Amino acid sequence: MSRAFPPRNTNICDISSKIIKELSHILDVAAPVSGWRELIDAIPEDMFDTYEVEKIAMKMYSKESPTYALMYKLGTRGKTVQDLISYLDTMRCERALMFLRNYEPIVITRQPVGSISVMERKTLRIECEATGFPYPRYQWFKGQKEIKCATEPKLVIEDIRLEDEEKYSCRIHNNRKETVTFTKPTVVKVIPNPEAVNNNEVIYARSSISERVKTTTKSTPAIHQFQPALVQYQQPLRQDAPVITEHPVQQEILCLQPLRLTCNARGAPILQYQWHKDGISLPGATQNMYLVEKTTVADYGVYTCVVSNGVGEARSTEANVRIVAPIPGPGMSSVMPKIIQHPKTALVPAGSIVQFQIEATGMEPLKYQWFKDRVEMPGETGKKLQLQPDVGKHTYYCSVSNPCGTVHSKSGDLSVYHPRDQEYTATDKVVLLIGNNMYKNERPLYAPKNDVRVLADAFEQIGYRVVSLLNLTLDEMLNAVDIFCSLLDKGVYGVFYFVGHGFEKQGQCYLVPWDAPAAYGIDQCLCAEYVLVEMQKKNPALSVLMLDVCRRENENADRDQITTYKPDVRGNTVFFYSTSFGLQAFEEEPCQDSEESRNTVSGIFVKHFKKYIHLEKDVVNVFNDVVKAIKSDRSASDIQFPELRSNLRDDRCLTDKIVYQGHTRAYTKRYFQWKAAHELPQPQTVTFPEFDITVQLDYQKLFSNAMNVFATVVNPGRATESLAWLTDIPPTVCVEQSIVVQPYHVPRTLTVITDLQRLQEPLIVLLVLTVKINGQKQECRRSVNLGEPLVAPLQLRKPRTTGRKEPTEQDEARYVNTHYR
């Protein structure tokens, strides 16, 4: 079965999880040769700063994939499969490209010369070029026999012999038998070297042709010693054959200065001259003098001249020509082009006139050429590029060249959006993300954890204060909503997102806590309309609710008394459901039954929403784009139908800027209130003087109620083996995993602690250290106080006012598991 490849214009976020997993397997472990860091280096524009790169690197400590994180960031920046292919092609990372690029048959783009003459003891150079994918493989032949080690596009044989006269050809393939092809043959004639004749004997070094093959892709020749040996060969020179009397000489000249090479010979009849550069004939260079009026870096190389007549031919010695840059003149930092002002990224409304500008120094004349999305723009050859673009996003850059070389500017991204009647700002922006996946009495879900993590990162990038929580009880959900609403106020943007199981009853949507009983009904779940009511009490400038749940009816809800919530209508609300009433919401299936595979699963809604969240579009149009994207998703178009409700009067964007002048006190209060729920323990150093060992404890936030704890033996002392880890963690919280990670070749363990909202007192754990000294294992323990990290001080666990009906045994028996989310 042929492999299906994603279309080239597909956003990287839309690549299937199976392909992303394969790329992660390759790029996560391929460093330092062709790993994910090298992929970042292959991106022509400076897309990621050092902080972002190290944030990506930290993914490996939590048993996640840096490549997966990098792909997500590239996708949210508008990069497509075509961009990813070009980056991997720069790396020549064929293994990764096999999952993205179609097979391309071999096409020979440059045939070797039909015939070539070379003086014995000199160097033979024959070259060919081909394209195709997988990348072409080369094998050179002498006659019908393979030349060992000759597996590069250029065949270089040093110390050429008279016996090396033969037809040479190259076999090219790319791992498919039916596409094996041969180049046209090159007839090689070896001219006896008069300098090699001594008493009618020719002295050679004894070595096979394979040992004289130079395996390099560079054309610059090396200087080789001629070694005497035992084989002899005799061939008298014909009297009228050409004999070179003046050979071209090696030169080092300034760029733009003339190059003159001279070759003189004697012989009869009339002599014919042909100059060669790097083994390739120079068209029109058929005089005894080769002249270039103004040299450029392209004239750098090795030159020879072949002189022939009807009797024979002779090849001159090689002349190395080196082109060097002159000393910079006044006002020039270098003679090579140097860009001092790059195009700048711009965001403009449709209909605007946009101008990109570039400034460069270097030896004149400087030539400019602009590119759009890596394609040359005809006629755009000035310092400035002026255009009136259509709505969309494109990338522009400029190349600057002179005779000494060519450089490329950094890319400038141009985003064009539909203009709004008015520019809006927020006094602050807050988002509450809740994901329930580890259900006590329901089918567990894979996507919520990943979706909350992805959205937390995306909302942080556009300036939101993010509260991200996993696996909450109903009390914890209600308390989290209360605290979230306390951060709202007039002028604030508030966003609420829930992903997990859910249902609908009488037009209201209900969100299922992780510990809901088997026969849960309305009383055991959180009503989404209640959340909106609480948000509207604070009169925020924007209220957005995103519900990624199923909306089927729940027969168990019939027994409960339904409270109808009627939120205030303020013209500020957007309500987005990932599916329609009576239907299910879906998540991707993991490729394999493994933790690594499950960590890449995404819900259908977030899979597409993450591509549009950064756009400078009003919220309604962003969600409309998501609806269209899901409609175009072949895996979801027939099963998931999103629904959008809105009474939003203003064209507000999720990306609107925060302007808190006049609201500084409230802004500062919200900041400290949010910050108090996101404090990590300070890094700690724990000493074990009995072993002369030091252990470092470091902390990393995963979610607002989950963190990583790293225990690193930074000073092993006298121990030949040592390892430290945490144990005796209170049962009120959960330890998801404890693994050993060794990115720096030092003993280190990772402990993931979740459900921190359930802490009832400071988190005290035991740090265990095991060592091996003088062949004997020993153990020591220290108590460590981690305080109340992250949301623990908010006491989300505290009980709410009672009154919710608890399920009876009869209710449990009536339970039918029909809920997908």
Side-chain angles (χ1 to χ4, degrees):
M1 180 183 294
S2 61
R3 177 180 290 163
F5 295 93
R8 295 290 181 98
N9 61 350
T10 301
N11 186 283
I12 292 178
C13 288
D14 287 337
I15 299 176
S16 70
S17 58
K18 183 177 181 180
I19 292 178
I20 293 294
K21 177 185 176 183
E22 296 293 348
L23 296 179
S24 298
H25 281 165
I26 295 167
L27 299 174
D28 283 350
V29 301
V33 179
S34 56
W36 62 269
R37 287 184 182 271
E38 285 65 37
L39 177 58
I40 292 177
D41 292 339
I43 301 173
E45 57 264 38
D46 293 336
M47 187 174 296
F48 302 105
D49 56 28
T50 302
Y51 171 77
E52 284 187 290
V53 174
E54 293 311 311
K55 190 174 180 180
I56 293 172
M58 289 298 290
K59 296 294 182 182
M60 65 183 178
Y61 299 138
S62 52
K63 213 173 182 180
E64 298 175 36
S65 166
T67 300
Y68 181 85
L70 175 59
M71 294 298 161
Y72 161 70
K73 289 182 178 294
L74 288 172
T76 57
R77 285 162 170 80
K79 300 304 177 183
T80 64
V81 171
Q82 178 60 54
D83 295 316
L84 180 57
I85 288 174
S86 68
Y87 305 152
L88 293 170
D89 195 41
T90 300
M91 299 165 58
R92 304 291 284 185
C93 188
E94 185 178 89
R95 285 181 60 205
L97 285 168
M98 294 294 285
F99 296 95
L100 300 170
R101 188 171 173 182
N102 287 301
Y103 171 77
E104 299 172 12
I106 292 293
V107 176
I108 298 177
T109 57
R110 180 179 179 182
Q111 292 280 1
V113 295
S115 63
I116 191 170
S117 299
V118 59
M119 187 78 69
E120 65 174 317
R121 295 192 187 177
K122 301 302 180 182
T123 300
L124 169 67
R125 292 181 178 84
I126 311 174
E127 189 171 0
C128 67
E129 288 181 3
T131 61
F133 187 80
Y135 295 126
R137 274 71 167 168
Y138 299 85
Q139 175 59 61
W140 286 92
F141 285 76
K142 176 186 176 185
Q144 301 296 318
K145 186 177 180 181
E146 282 189 8
I147 304 175
K148 294 181 180 179
C149 303
T151 56
E152 298 176 358
K154 180 179 288 188
L155 174 66
V156 180
I157 303 176
E158 302 167 340
D159 191 19
I160 199 73
R161 315 277 180 80
L162 294 172
E163 66 216 41
D164 292 331
E165 280 195 344
E166 185 56 270
K167 291 182 178 179
Y168 290 79
S169 60
C170 185
R171 181 186 68 202
I172 309 175
H173 72 93
N174 60 352
N175 291 341
R176 285 202 180 182
K177 293 182 179 180
E178 65 270 20
T179 61
V180 173
T181 184
F182 280 83
T183 64
K184 296 178 181 179
T186 296
V187 179
V188 175
K189 183 174 182 180
V190 181
I191 304 170
N193 189 343
E195 298 176 2
V197 179
N198 182 18
N199 296 328
N200 294 326
E201 291 185 344
V202 181
I203 311 300
Y204 292 118
R206 183 176 294 280
S207 60
S208 67
I209 188 172
S210 299
E211 293 172 328
R212 291 179 280 121
V213 171
K214 186 178 181 183
T215 55
T216 177
T217 57
K218 297 181 180 180
S219 60
T220 306
I223 300 175
H224 306 283
Q225 295 293 332
F226 181 71
Q227 301 176 356
L230 305 176
V231 182
Q232 53 181 330
Y233 182 85
Q234 295 183 6
Q235 178 178 331
L237 297 175
R238 297 189 61 172
Q239 183 175 359
D240 296 329
V243 175
I244 295 178
T245 58
E246 182 182 357
H247 293 267
V249 296
Q250 177 175 315
Q251 296 187 41
E252 184 176 286
I253 58 179
L254 294 177
C255 189
L256 293 183
Q257 295 301 308
L259 166 65
R260 292 184 179 86
L261 294 171
T262 303
C263 177
N264 286 314
R266 57 179 171 79
I270 298 175
L271 299 176
Q272 296 178 338
Y273 295 83
Q274 177 61 60
W275 288 90
H276 296 257
K277 176 178 176 289
D278 297 329
I280 307 301
S281 298
L282 293 169
T286 56
Q287 303 295 322
N288 67 323
M289 176 180 288
Y290 178 68
L291 174 64
V292 179
E293 292 289 352
K294 290 185 177 181
T295 54
T296 68
V297 289
D299 296 311
Y300 186 103
V302 179
Y303 292 79
T304 56
C305 185
V306 175
V307 186
S308 61
N309 59 13
V311 180
E313 63 180 30
R315 177 179 288 267
S316 72
T317 58
E318 296 173 342
N320 289 290
V321 174
R322 183 166 176 257
I323 309 299
V324 296
I327 299 174
M332 290 192 301
S333 60
S334 68
V335 292
M336 278 281 293
K338 182 178 180 181
I339 298 174
I340 57 177
Q341 180 181 325
H342 295 266
K344 296 180 179 179
T345 294
L347 174 67
V348 299
S352 302
I353 303 296
V354 180
Q355 179 173 284
F356 287 108
Q357 185 169 349
I358 189 172
E359 292 292 339
T361 63
M363 187 171 62
E364 297 290 346
L366 294 174
K367 296 182 179 180
Y368 301 85
Q369 177 61 60
W370 287 91
F371 293 80
K372 174 185 177 181
D373 297 331
R374 301 179 180 276
V375 178
E376 185 176 303
M377 301 177 69
E380 299 296 347
T381 55
K383 290 183 179 181
K384 298 178 180 180
L385 172 65
Q386 193 172 80
L387 63 159
Q388 187 174 7
D390 296 328
V391 173
K393 183 177 180 180
H394 299 282
T395 299
Y396 297 84
Y397 68 91
C398 185
S399 68
V400 185
S401 61
N402 67 7
C404 297
T406 301
V407 294
H408 294 276
S409 73
K410 297 179 181 178
S411 296
D413 290 332
L414 175 60
S415 298
V416 184
Y417 61 92
H418 289 291
R420 295 185 284 172
D421 296 332
Q422 178 181 345
E423 293 297 320
Y424 295 94
T425 59
T427 57
D428 207 347
K429 299 194 291 188
V430 186
V431 60
L432 172 60
L433 309 171
I434 299 177
N436 289 344
N437 67 322
M438 300 303 294
Y439 280 91
K440 185 177 180 181
N441 295 297
E442 265 281 18
R443 181 175 65 87
L445 301 171
Y446 300 127
K449 178 180 177 181
N450 304 323
D451 288 347
V452 169
R453 177 173 55 241
V454 166
L455 290 186
D457 186 36
F459 276 106
E460 281 180 0
Q461 291 184 35
I462 56 177
Y464 280 76
R465 303 194 196 284
V466 177
V467 180
S468 56
L469 300 166
L470 295 183
N471 297 317
L472 302 186
T473 65
L474 178 56
D475 285 338
E476 291 166 352
M477 292 170 68
L478 288 166
N479 289 325
V481 169
D482 285 351
I483 294 173
F484 164 63
C485 290
S486 72
L487 298 174
L488 302 181
D489 203 349
K490 187 175 181 179
V492 177
Y493 288 9
V495 179
F496 174 83
Y497 170 78
F498 177 84
V499 56
H501 286 299
F503 65 91
E504 188 155 331
K505 192 67 177 177
Q506 295 187 10
Q508 296 190 144
C509 199
Y510 294 87
L511 317 177
V512 182
W514 82 274
D515 64 340
Y520 59 77
I522 289 174
D523 290 340
Q524 290 81 40
C525 299
L526 174 64
C527 182
E529 282 69 21
Y530 164 80
V531 177
L532 182 57
V533 166
E534 295 300 306
M535 292 175 66
Q536 291 294 78
K537 288 178 181 179
K538 295 303 186 80
N539 193 20
L542 178 65
S543 292
V544 178
L545 279 81
M546 303 181 296
L547 305 182
D548 200 355
V549 298
C550 290
R551 296 177 65 193
R552 283 180 157 184
E553 286 209 358
N554 175 9
E555 65 179 29
N556 296 311
D558 294 336
R559 65 176 185 261
D560 298 326
Q561 181 68 37
I562 296 178
T563 300
T564 302
Y565 295 98
K566 295 182 178 180
D568 293 336
V569 178
R570 302 183 184 276
N572 63 344
T573 304
V574 179
F575 220 130
F576 187 86
Y577 302 88
S578 66
T579 193
S580 296
F581 171 69
L583 299 180
Q584 305 164 14
F586 292 87
E587 62 183 24
E588 298 175 319
E589 289 293 330
C591 299
Q592 296 179 354
D593 186 18
S594 66
E595 184 70 21
E596 181 182 6
S597 182
R598 288 190 286 270
N599 280 336
T600 64
V601 170
S602 176
I604 299 299
F605 165 64
V606 171
K607 172 185 176 182
H608 296 285
F609 178 59
K610 64 186 180 184
K611 296 178 295 185
Y612 300 99
I613 188 173
H614 299 85
L615 295 183
E616 299 283 341
K617 280 187 174 183
D618 66 87
V619 185
V620 173
N621 277 322
V622 166
F623 285 125
N624 282 329
D625 287 344
V626 174
V627 173
K628 293 175 184 177
I630 295 177
K631 178 182 176 181
S632 302
D633 187 340
R634 289 182 296 177
S635 66
S637 60
D638 295 332
I639 59 175
Q640 189 158 329
F641 300 87
E643 182 178 333
L644 173 63
R645 301 177 186 176
S646 174
N647 60 20
L648 188 63
R649 295 182 301 182
D650 301 329
D651 294 334
R652 294 188 181 271
C653 299
L654 293 172
T655 54
D656 285 339
K657 296 180 180 178
I658 295 175
V659 178
Y660 55 83
Q661 282 80 359
H663 308 274
T664 304
R665 181 176 299 178
Y667 178 85
T668 305
K669 180 181 178 181
R670 279 192 298 272
Y671 168 74
F672 283 109
Q673 187 177 351
W674 172 86
K675 190 173 184 295
H678 292 83
E679 293 281 3
L680 284 167
Q682 291 297 315
Q684 303 179 50
T685 299
V686 182
T687 58
F688 294 83
E690 57 268 55
F691 300 134
D692 194 22
I693 289 178
T694 302
V695 176
Q696 175 79 25
L697 293 179
D698 297 290
Y699 309 91
Q700 177 192 24
K701 179 176 78 72
L702 289 176
F703 301 96
S704 298
N705 63 340
M707 68 177 179
N708 287 334
V709 183
F710 299 97
T712 309
V713 179
V714 294
N715 175 23
R718 298 175 289 115
T720 55
E721 295 179 11
S722 58
L723 193 67
W725 71 92
L726 299 185
T727 188
D728 284 3
I729 298 172
T732 51
V733 297
C734 179
V735 180
E736 282 195 355
Q737 53 188 329
S738 184
I739 59 176
V740 178
V741 290
Q742 294 181 307
Y744 304 112
H745 305 289
V746 295
R748 166 181 271 194
T749 60
L750 164 63
T751 303
V752 182
I753 303 177
T754 62
D755 300 332
L756 292 170
Q757 77 278 4
R758 293 174 198 149
L759 277 176
Q760 299 176 5
E761 55 189 16
L763 179 59
I764 299 177
V765 300
L766 280 181
L767 176 63
V768 180
L769 174 68
T770 60
V771 299
K772 188 174 183 180
I773 300 177
N774 298 327
Q776 296 200 354
K777 289 188 176 181
Q778 303 180 54
E779 182 178 292
C780 190
R781 300 186 173 210
R782 291 282 189 277
S783 178
V784 180
N785 189 342
L786 304 185
E788 294 182 300
L790 300 177
V791 298
L794 299 184
Q795 297 184 345
L796 298 182
R797 68 186 184 281
K798 64 183 179 181
R800 300 282 292 196
T801 304
T802 58
R804 293 187 299 272
K805 178 183 175 183
E806 297 299 326
T808 64
E809 292 184 6
Q810 290 80 5
D811 292 332
E812 297 281 355
R814 292 188 319 188
Y815 169 69
V816 178
N817 183 1
T818 58
H819 308 291
Y820 286 76
R821 271 199 176 180

